[in-house]
Amino acid sequence: MLEGPETTLADQRQNAIHFQPQRRAPVCFRHAPQFVTESSFFGAQCILQTYKSRNRPNALQLRRSLREFKAVDDGLVRHTGPNGIIPKNLCQNKAMPSPRQVVLASTSKYRRGLLERLGFPFECANPQVAEAPLPGEATAATALRLAVAKARAVAVRFPEALLIGADQVASCEGARLDKPGNHENAARQLALVSGKTALFDTAVALLDGRSGKLAVRAVPCRVTFRRLGTEQIERYLRLEQPYDCAGSAKVEGLGIALIARIDTEDPTSLIGLPLIALSELLRGAGLDVLG
């Protein structure tokens, strides 16, 4: 009776020793068919999206050149710099306000060349002001009046700008020395000033078109000429032809050889625009040329 159970127990122990559980596939392999299916689906989607993106027209391709770029994106505007375009409504540095527009009320190449020395951008405008002196008007008064008139004349066109007007009146022993215009007049002027001192009254005016504030400055300059012979005068005039200069001598050129002495607080005043005085006026208006 005891043999049956013992045999059964021995068989159970033998079976336990040689028991081979049913192997199950790893999780990754059990889900492999689903994974392959999903990967194939997403791969197809990616290929489809790439194809669509490749065939979608780019915003830049809608136009042929930068000239037409503004129609594509109105947030960009044309610019003269090397990049061709700049964003509209740029953020401004509050510590450094954008520079004011500056306008020189003159068509003189000499005044334009002087103002360029200060290194900031500006525009030139023709003031179209009659420069004839008033009866009995002193030379310095004429220069001041015309400098202001020139600045005011262009203010209508540039109401937000800083406007610079300048004028110069030259005289020698009561005789006014205007621009000679031709060789004969220039020869007469140089013969008149030979060995004498001529007075050059130069005035500069700065008008703030925005506020209406006006500042003026007059700078006198006394020029003593050497004694000049007729041959020297003729030779100089043939070489330099200073027919557009009051006094018939270009001090910034060969004309300096005609001069024995210059007395002034601002050497550039003799050329037509006193930069020392103008720099001070600009600083008073909030434009420091040195930043």
Side-chain angles (χ1 to χ4, degrees), residues 186-201:
R188 281 195 292 268
Q189 281 192 0
L190 289 179
L192 174 65
V193 300
S194 175
K196 301 176 183 177
T197 298
L199 176 63
F200 291 77
D201 285 303

Side-chain angles (χ1 to χ4, degrees), residues 23-36:
R23 296 184 178 272
R24 300 183 64 187
V27 176
C28 59
F29 288 103
R30 280 188 285 124
H31 296 283
Q34 179 182 358
F35 175 78
V36 171

Side-chain angles (χ1 to χ4, degrees), residues 59-60 63 65-79 83-90:
L60 293 177
R63 298 293 170 182
S65 65
L66 288 176
R67 294 173 183 262
E68 301 176 38
F69 192 76
K70 187 175 185 297
V72 179
D73 188 350
D74 194 51
L76 299 172
V77 294
R78 294 287 300 169
H79 181 52
N83 294 329
I85 53 175
I86 58 173
K88 189 183 291 185
N89 300 325
L90 287 174

